[in-house]
Amino acid sequence: MKIAVVGTGYVGLVTGTCFAETGNQVTCVDIDVRKVERLQKGDIPIYEPGLDVLFDRNVAEGRLQFTTNLAEGIQDAEVIFLALPTPPGEDGSADLKYILKVADDLGHILDHYAVIIDKSTVPVGTAEKVHAAIVKNIKVDFDVVSNPEFLREGVAVEDFMKPDRVVVGTTSEKAKKVMEKLYAPLVRQGNPVIFMDERSAEMTKYAANSFLAMKITFMNEIANLCEKVGANVDDIRRGIGTDSRIGKRFLFAGIGYGGSCFPKDVQALAKTSEDYDYDFRILKSVMDVNYDQKKKLLPMVNNYFGGDLKGKTIAVWGLAFKPYTDDIREAPALENIEALLEAGATITAYDPEAMNNVKEILGDKITFCHTPYAALDDADALMIFTEWPQFRTPEFDKMAKLLKNKVVFDGRNLYELEQMREMGYTYYSIGREKVVPA
């Protein structure tokens, strides 16, 4: 099939590359000239494990191309994906201006039947708005389909190539056949393609992400209560996670969720509820708890240093909102760093992938280090914000020699309490007892 993908952000680039890998002819379109030039030179602007291999192969074999010209990109395309940004507005609603602008443009230039697919996360009713924007000027038949993505950053290629399910919102039999053909290579093992109406498909994406955000937030509330009653949240996680009704995933306590999806999608679903005069009380609580949870470690740090952080150097491990990505959107590390700087602390930081992105925001306000141990050199304490695997089994003896104080504030519960106790560390984590050397 010939496919056009409008937008070369995270979703668009993964979508285009993976569909090229299944033998389709894919053209990705973006108005950002510099980004398109980078892509044409083989320079991928995001970090996503495994994407580079598929990207290089499909560019070399001529199945994946890039252009800034929309008319050129959609020429003869059977399927046109809209993978454009939907940033939250001040009121929390998703901003559809980019999608509707492209929809309007398509109405003027599309000269053959195509299935136009909303791949971006969009509010209920967006497919109808896109259809209305296109139909004003178009002279050919077309269909608009909702096909939300469920990609997890860090494993997006695997998620795309081996999806748990594919959700498709359409009431058109013609579009349904196109979508079945498009996804057939990806669901050969029997995972379902679930067809529904467009509004239900749009709601499905928000419902899924909001439920997962709620699950994380519930465990963070349990963790906060554990600290007061003297229980261990890790034991509770194992105790409830083995219940098949609950499941093991998204039960790890920590310093809240971040990223490009959960915060935005929870906020957008809450706004949709408000627009329809429904008080979605759980979502409000999820947002409130997560806001506070992100800075959960700061009172611990302040208390340890007697309320005075001036002149203190805090080492930071992890800047991305989660491991295996360079995405720093809504990352807890950023809010904590800003608060520490405001309190007069100096920051030395390390992250395997996200430092360049943070540097664009913070510049020289903090020191970026080439190794995790370089960040520890002469620091007064270590704070951990991202659970990168290399942080799980560090050289604790080497850490002790570099740090002024053997104290760790761990927002991701990477270490066992007994382990830290035996090595003489002062160790703060989430939902577990504080470890203090005897």
Side-chain angles (χ1 to χ4, degrees), residues 272-297:
T272 297
S273 304
E274 184 182 310
D275 291 344
Y276 284 84
D277 198 27
Y278 181 74
D279 186 10
F280 208 141
R281 288 167 289 176
I282 289 177
L283 287 189
K284 292 178 182 177
S285 295
V286 167
M287 290 186 286
D288 288 344
V289 171
N290 195 64
Y291 177 83
D292 293 336
Q293 194 73 17
K294 283 186 174 184
K295 296 183 179 180
K296 171 79 175 175
L297 293 178

mmCIF file of all heavy atoms in Angstrom, residues 272-297:
data_model
loop_
_atom_site.group_PDB
_atom_site.id
_atom_site.type_symbol
_atom_site.label_atom_id
_atom_site.label_comp_id
_atom_site.label_asym_id
_atom_site.label_seq_id
_atom_site.Cartn_x
_atom_site.Cartn_y
_atom_site.Cartn_z
ATOM 1 N N THR A 272 -13.152 17.123 28.814
ATOM 2 C CA THR A 272 -14.306 16.604 28.073
ATOM 3 C C THR A 272 -15.479 16.372 29.012
ATOM 4 O O THR A 272 -16.629 16.713 28.704
ATOM 5 C CB THR A 272 -13.938 15.292 27.358
ATOM 6 O OG1 THR A 272 -12.922 15.542 26.391
ATOM 7 C CG2 THR A 272 -15.155 14.687 26.662
ATOM 8 N N SER A 273 -15.197 15.811 30.180
ATOM 9 C CA SER A 273 -16.252 15.571 31.172
ATOM 10 C C SER A 273 -16.905 16.879 31.590
ATOM 11 O O SER A 273 -18.133 16.974 31.694
ATOM 12 C CB SER A 273 -15.658 14.881 32.406
ATOM 13 O OG SER A 273 -15.002 13.685 32.055
ATOM 14 N N GLU A 274 -16.073 17.878 31.801
ATOM 15 C CA GLU A 274 -16.572 19.205 32.182
ATOM 16 C C GLU A 274 -17.461 19.782 31.074
ATOM 17 O O GLU A 274 -18.516 20.360 31.347
ATOM 18 C CB GLU A 274 -15.379 20.123 32.450
ATOM 19 C CG GLU A 274 -15.718 21.502 32.938
ATOM 20 C CD GLU A 274 -14.470 22.345 33.132
ATOM 21 O OE1 GLU A 274 -13.521 21.867 33.791
ATOM 22 O OE2 GLU A 274 -14.431 23.474 32.598
ATOM 23 N N ASP A 275 -17.019 19.611 29.826
ATOM 24 C CA ASP A 275 -17.795 20.136 28.691
ATOM 25 C C ASP A 275 -19.174 19.496 28.600
ATOM 26 O O ASP A 275 -20.126 20.112 28.111
ATOM 27 C CB ASP A 275 -17.036 19.908 27.378
ATOM 28 C CG ASP A 275 -15.782 20.769 27.267
ATOM 29 O OD1 ASP A 275 -15.660 21.743 28.038
ATOM 30 O OD2 ASP A 275 -14.918 20.453 26.423
ATOM 31 N N TYR A 276 -19.262 18.238 29.038
ATOM 32 C CA TYR A 276 -20.543 17.531 29.000
ATOM 33 C C TYR A 276 -21.236 17.537 30.357
ATOM 34 O O TYR A 276 -22.118 16.725 30.622
ATOM 35 C CB TYR A 276 -20.332 16.094 28.500
ATOM 36 C CG TYR A 276 -20.101 16.024 27.002
ATOM 37 C CD1 TYR A 276 -18.839 16.217 26.473
ATOM 38 C CD2 TYR A 276 -21.172 15.795 26.130
ATOM 39 C CE1 TYR A 276 -18.620 16.167 25.088
ATOM 40 C CE2 TYR A 276 -20.968 15.732 24.762
ATOM 41 C CZ TYR A 276 -19.689 15.926 24.249
ATOM 42 O OH TYR A 276 -19.502 15.879 22.890
ATOM 43 N N ASP A 277 -20.787 18.444 31.223
ATOM 44 C CA ASP A 277 -21.414 18.659 32.528
ATOM 45 C C ASP A 277 -21.416 17.391 33.383
ATOM 46 O O ASP A 277 -22.396 17.068 34.063
ATOM 47 C CB ASP A 277 -22.850 19.185 32.357
ATOM 48 C CG ASP A 277 -23.387 19.839 33.630
ATOM 49 O OD1 ASP A 277 -22.562 20.336 34.426
ATOM 50 O OD2 ASP A 277 -24.610 19.827 33.840
ATOM 51 N N TYR A 278 -20.287 16.666 33.324
ATOM 52 C CA TYR A 278 -20.128 15.490 34.191
ATOM 53 C C TYR A 278 -18.939 15.699 35.124
ATOM 54 O O TYR A 278 -17.848 16.053 34.659
ATOM 55 C CB TYR A 278 -19.915 14.217 33.372
ATOM 56 C CG TYR A 278 -19.768 12.993 34.256
ATOM 57 C CD1 TYR A 278 -20.879 12.454 34.885
ATOM 58 C CD2 TYR A 278 -18.515 12.433 34.506
ATOM 59 C CE1 TYR A 278 -20.758 11.365 35.732
ATOM 60 C CE2 TYR A 278 -18.392 11.342 35.347
ATOM 61 C CZ TYR A 278 -19.509 10.814 35.961
ATOM 62 O OH TYR A 278 -19.387 9.752 36.805
ATOM 63 N N ASP A 279 -19.144 15.478 36.401
ATOM 64 C CA ASP A 279 -18.096 15.671 37.406
ATOM 65 C C ASP A 279 -17.315 14.367 37.575
ATOM 66 O O ASP A 279 -17.722 13.480 38.330
ATOM 67 C CB ASP A 279 -18.730 16.098 38.731
ATOM 68 C CG ASP A 279 -17.683 16.452 39.787
ATOM 69 O OD1 ASP A 279 -16.494 16.536 39.430
ATOM 70 O OD2 ASP A 279 -18.061 16.640 40.959
ATOM 71 N N PHE A 280 -16.190 14.255 36.869
ATOM 72 C CA PHE A 280 -15.362 13.034 36.899
ATOM 73 C C PHE A 280 -14.400 13.163 38.084
ATOM 74 O O PHE A 280 -13.241 13.529 37.956
ATOM 75 C CB PHE A 280 -14.582 12.903 35.586
ATOM 76 C CG PHE A 280 -14.262 11.491 35.194
ATOM 77 C CD1 PHE A 280 -14.338 11.104 33.858
ATOM 78 C CD2 PHE A 280 -13.875 10.547 36.129
ATOM 79 C CE1 PHE A 280 -14.030 9.803 33.470
ATOM 80 C CE2 PHE A 280 -13.573 9.249 35.758
ATOM 81 C CZ PHE A 280 -13.652 8.881 34.432
ATOM 82 N N ARG A 281 -14.882 12.827 39.274
ATOM 83 C CA ARG A 281 -14.162 13.125 40.508
ATOM 84 C C ARG A 281 -12.853 12.352 40.640
ATOM 85 O O ARG A 281 -11.873 12.857 41.183
ATOM 86 C CB ARG A 281 -15.076 12.853 41.716
ATOM 87 C CG ARG A 281 -16.186 13.893 41.864
ATOM 88 C CD ARG A 281 -17.242 13.451 42.842
ATOM 89 N NE ARG A 281 -18.049 12.364 42.294
ATOM 90 C CZ ARG A 281 -19.000 11.724 42.976
ATOM 91 N NH1 ARG A 281 -19.250 12.052 44.223
ATOM 92 N NH2 ARG A 281 -19.691 10.757 42.403
ATOM 93 N N ILE A 282 -12.821 11.119 40.158
ATOM 94 C CA ILE A 282 -11.600 10.323 40.271
ATOM 95 C C ILE A 282 -10.458 10.992 39.515
ATOM 96 O O ILE A 282 -9.328 11.067 40.005
ATOM 97 C CB ILE A 282 -11.825 8.893 39.742
ATOM 98 C CG1 ILE A 282 -12.716 8.108 40.694
ATOM 99 C CG2 ILE A 282 -10.495 8.164 39.556
ATOM 100 C CD1 ILE A 282 -13.042 6.717 40.221
ATOM 101 N N LEU A 283 -10.742 11.502 38.318
ATOM 102 C CA LEU A 283 -9.690 12.133 37.522
ATOM 103 C C LEU A 283 -9.125 13.365 38.214
ATOM 104 O O LEU A 283 -7.920 13.613 38.162
ATOM 105 C CB LEU A 283 -10.213 12.511 36.139
ATOM 106 C CG LEU A 283 -10.456 11.378 35.147
ATOM 107 C CD1 LEU A 283 -10.762 11.959 33.773
ATOM 108 C CD2 LEU A 283 -9.264 10.450 35.064
ATOM 109 N N LYS A 284 -9.983 14.128 38.852
ATOM 110 C CA LYS A 284 -9.499 15.298 39.583
ATOM 111 C C LYS A 284 -8.533 14.878 40.683
ATOM 112 O O LYS A 284 -7.485 15.506 40.903
ATOM 113 C CB LYS A 284 -10.684 16.070 40.180
ATOM 114 C CG LYS A 284 -11.574 16.735 39.145
ATOM 115 C CD LYS A 284 -12.747 17.427 39.822
ATOM 116 C CE LYS A 284 -13.676 18.063 38.799
ATOM 117 N NZ LYS A 284 -14.867 18.674 39.459
ATOM 118 N N SER A 285 -8.870 13.823 41.388
ATOM 119 C CA SER A 285 -7.996 13.328 42.457
ATOM 120 C C SER A 285 -6.677 12.818 41.903
ATOM 121 O O SER A 285 -5.613 13.043 42.494
ATOM 122 C CB SER A 285 -8.700 12.210 43.239
ATOM 123 O OG SER A 285 -9.838 12.701 43.904
ATOM 124 N N VAL A 286 -6.736 12.123 40.763
ATOM 125 C CA VAL A 286 -5.514 11.615 40.133
ATOM 126 C C VAL A 286 -4.566 12.768 39.820
ATOM 127 O O VAL A 286 -3.357 12.703 40.112
ATOM 128 C CB VAL A 286 -5.859 10.830 38.851
ATOM 129 C CG1 VAL A 286 -4.598 10.565 38.025
ATOM 130 C CG2 VAL A 286 -6.529 9.508 39.205
ATOM 131 N N MET A 287 -5.093 13.830 39.245
ATOM 132 C CA MET A 287 -4.246 14.974 38.892
ATOM 133 C C MET A 287 -3.684 15.658 40.139
ATOM 134 O O MET A 287 -2.507 16.031 40.180
ATOM 135 C CB MET A 287 -5.044 15.968 38.039
ATOM 136 C CG MET A 287 -5.345 15.450 36.644
ATOM 137 S SD MET A 287 -6.125 16.680 35.556
ATOM 138 C CE MET A 287 -7.782 16.737 36.237
ATOM 139 N N ASP A 288 -4.514 15.807 41.162
ATOM 140 C CA ASP A 288 -4.063 16.466 42.392
ATOM 141 C C ASP A 288 -2.962 15.665 43.079
ATOM 142 O O ASP A 288 -1.939 16.215 43.503
ATOM 143 C CB ASP A 288 -5.240 16.650 43.354
ATOM 144 C CG ASP A 288 -6.219 17.722 42.893
ATOM 145 O OD1 ASP A 288 -5.847 18.526 42.014
ATOM 146 O OD2 ASP A 288 -7.356 17.739 43.402
ATOM 147 N N VAL A 289 -3.179 14.359 43.196
ATOM 148 C CA VAL A 289 -2.191 13.506 43.867
ATOM 149 C C VAL A 289 -0.879 13.487 43.083
ATOM 150 O O VAL A 289 0.206 13.595 43.657
ATOM 151 C CB VAL A 289 -2.738 12.069 44.040
ATOM 152 C CG1 VAL A 289 -1.631 11.131 44.540
ATOM 153 C CG2 VAL A 289 -3.912 12.060 45.008
ATOM 154 N N ASN A 290 -0.957 13.373 41.771
ATOM 155 C CA ASN A 290 0.259 13.308 40.968
ATOM 156 C C ASN A 290 1.058 14.602 41.049
ATOM 157 O O ASN A 290 2.293 14.587 41.064
ATOM 158 C CB ASN A 290 -0.070 12.984 39.510
ATOM 159 C CG ASN A 290 1.143 12.546 38.734
ATOM 160 O OD1 ASN A 290 1.750 11.513 39.025
ATOM 161 N ND2 ASN A 290 1.526 13.327 37.737
ATOM 162 N N TYR A 291 0.372 15.719 41.093
ATOM 163 C CA TYR A 291 1.042 17.016 41.215
ATOM 164 C C TYR A 291 1.893 17.052 42.484
ATOM 165 O O TYR A 291 3.050 17.485 42.460
ATOM 166 C CB TYR A 291 -0.002 18.134 41.226
ATOM 167 C CG TYR A 291 0.590 19.512 41.419
ATOM 168 C CD1 TYR A 291 1.115 20.215 40.336
ATOM 169 C CD2 TYR A 291 0.629 20.103 42.685
ATOM 170 C CE1 TYR A 291 1.670 21.485 40.504
ATOM 171 C CE2 TYR A 291 1.182 21.362 42.860
ATOM 172 C CZ TYR A 291 1.703 22.048 41.777
ATOM 173 O OH TYR A 291 2.259 23.290 41.958
ATOM 174 N N ASP A 292 1.317 16.593 43.585
ATOM 175 C CA ASP A 292 2.054 16.582 44.852
ATOM 176 C C ASP A 292 3.141 15.510 44.876
ATOM 177 O O ASP A 292 4.223 15.721 45.427
ATOM 178 C CB ASP A 292 1.094 16.354 46.018
ATOM 179 C CG ASP A 292 0.134 17.516 46.232
ATOM 180 O OD1 ASP A 292 0.469 18.643 45.817
ATOM 181 O OD2 ASP A 292 -0.959 17.290 46.802
ATOM 182 N N GLN A 293 2.841 14.369 44.258
ATOM 183 C CA GLN A 293 3.759 13.226 44.336
ATOM 184 C C GLN A 293 5.089 13.506 43.650
ATOM 185 O O GLN A 293 6.127 12.992 44.064
ATOM 186 C CB GLN A 293 3.102 11.989 43.717
ATOM 187 C CG GLN A 293 3.809 10.674 44.044
ATOM 188 C CD GLN A 293 3.579 10.236 45.481
ATOM 189 O OE1 GLN A 293 2.662 10.713 46.146
ATOM 190 N NE2 GLN A 293 4.409 9.329 45.968
ATOM 191 N N LYS A 294 5.063 14.315 42.621
ATOM 192 C CA LYS A 294 6.292 14.585 41.873
ATOM 193 C C LYS A 294 7.378 15.193 42.766
ATOM 194 O O LYS A 294 8.573 14.993 42.515
ATOM 195 C CB LYS A 294 6.007 15.528 40.698
ATOM 196 C CG LYS A 294 5.331 14.855 39.518
ATOM 197 C CD LYS A 294 5.222 15.833 38.357
ATOM 198 C CE LYS A 294 4.684 15.157 37.110
ATOM 199 N NZ LYS A 294 4.667 16.072 35.947
ATOM 200 N N LYS A 295 6.968 15.934 43.784
ATOM 201 C CA LYS A 295 7.937 16.596 44.671
ATOM 202 C C LYS A 295 8.006 15.914 46.036
ATOM 203 O O LYS A 295 8.401 16.510 47.030
ATOM 204 C CB LYS A 295 7.581 18.070 44.812
ATOM 205 C CG LYS A 295 7.690 18.840 43.502
ATOM 206 C CD LYS A 295 7.404 20.320 43.673
ATOM 207 C CE LYS A 295 7.543 21.067 42.345
ATOM 208 N NZ LYS A 295 7.268 22.507 42.482
ATOM 209 N N LYS A 296 7.668 14.651 46.059
ATOM 210 C CA LYS A 296 7.618 13.878 47.296
ATOM 211 C C LYS A 296 8.959 13.858 48.029
ATOM 212 O O LYS A 296 9.017 13.835 49.271
ATOM 213 C CB LYS A 296 7.178 12.446 46.941
ATOM 214 C CG LYS A 296 7.260 11.439 48.059
ATOM 215 C CD LYS A 296 6.112 11.569 48.996
ATOM 216 C CE LYS A 296 6.152 10.464 50.043
ATOM 217 N NZ LYS A 296 5.106 10.636 51.054
ATOM 218 N N LEU A 297 10.065 13.853 47.290
ATOM 219 C CA LEU A 297 11.383 13.744 47.914
ATOM 220 C C LEU A 297 11.880 15.055 48.519
ATOM 221 O O LEU A 297 12.757 15.040 49.391
ATOM 222 C CB LEU A 297 12.416 13.264 46.885
ATOM 223 C CG LEU A 297 12.277 11.850 46.347
ATOM 224 C CD1 LEU A 297 13.354 11.580 45.304
ATOM 225 C CD2 LEU A 297 12.354 10.807 47.460
#
